[in-house]
Amino acid sequence: MSYSIFQSGRSRRNGTFHNLESGIEEQVEALRDELAELTRMVGKNSRHQSEKIRSQAGAGYEELLSRSEDLLRELQHGYERGTTEMRDTVRKHPLATLGAAAAFGLAIAFLARR
């Protein structure tokens, strides 16, 4: 008789443990589902952010390229203007140009001696 009392007590405890175990398994499964959903959302958000950053970088690159081309054109025009002005000055004042070149050469030679 005492055996049957202990048996019924064990079965009640096993049933309680079984219910507790089932509850824990359900919670773990729910957490896995939530984690999977969170992972999906983070992946989607990171793809969206990377596309946004890539787009901004592309626009910035195009703007930088455009500005550098404009700057290059501006420098070329400035060089051409300077060359034209120098040629005009040499044509208008050939003796002054020769004197300035000679003075510059003497100054360089004097500095190089020291």
Side-chain angles (χ1 to χ4, degrees):
M1 240 182 175
S2 67
Y3 181 76
S4 65
I5 293 173
F6 290 128
Q7 183 67 21
S8 65
R10 283 186 183 153
S11 68
R12 269 188 265 135
R13 276 187 271 165
N14 284 342
T16 304
F17 287 134
H18 180 68
N19 290 342
L20 183 62
E21 187 178 309
S22 297
I24 290 174
E25 287 177 358
E26 289 173 3
Q27 289 177 354
V28 167
E29 188 62 34
L31 286 173
R32 283 184 183 150
D33 292 342
E34 288 179 20
L35 185 59
E37 179 64 21
L38 181 62
T39 303
R40 185 188 65 77
M41 289 173 60
V42 167
K44 183 179 178 182
N45 190 23
S46 64
R47 278 192 302 274
H48 176 68
Q49 289 295 331
S50 67
E51 289 172 1
K52 183 178 176 182
I53 290 170
R54 187 177 297 127
S55 172
Q56 289 174 347
Y61 174 75
E62 292 298 325
E63 183 178 341
L64 180 63
L65 188 60
S66 173
R67 284 183 180 180
S68 64
E69 288 173 351
D70 292 343
L71 180 62
L72 181 61
R73 262 188 248 106
E74 196 174 305
L75 288 172
Q76 286 174 339
H77 289 299
Y79 177 75
E80 290 170 1
R81 279 192 308 263
T83 303
T84 303
E85 288 177 13
M86 184 184 296
R87 284 181 183 158
D88 290 343
T89 302
V90 169
R91 284 184 186 141
K92 289 178 184 175
H93 310 286
L95 292 178
T97 303
L98 284 175
F104 183 73
L106 287 175
I108 294 295
F110 180 73
L111 291 174
R113 253 191 198 183
R114 289 186 170 210

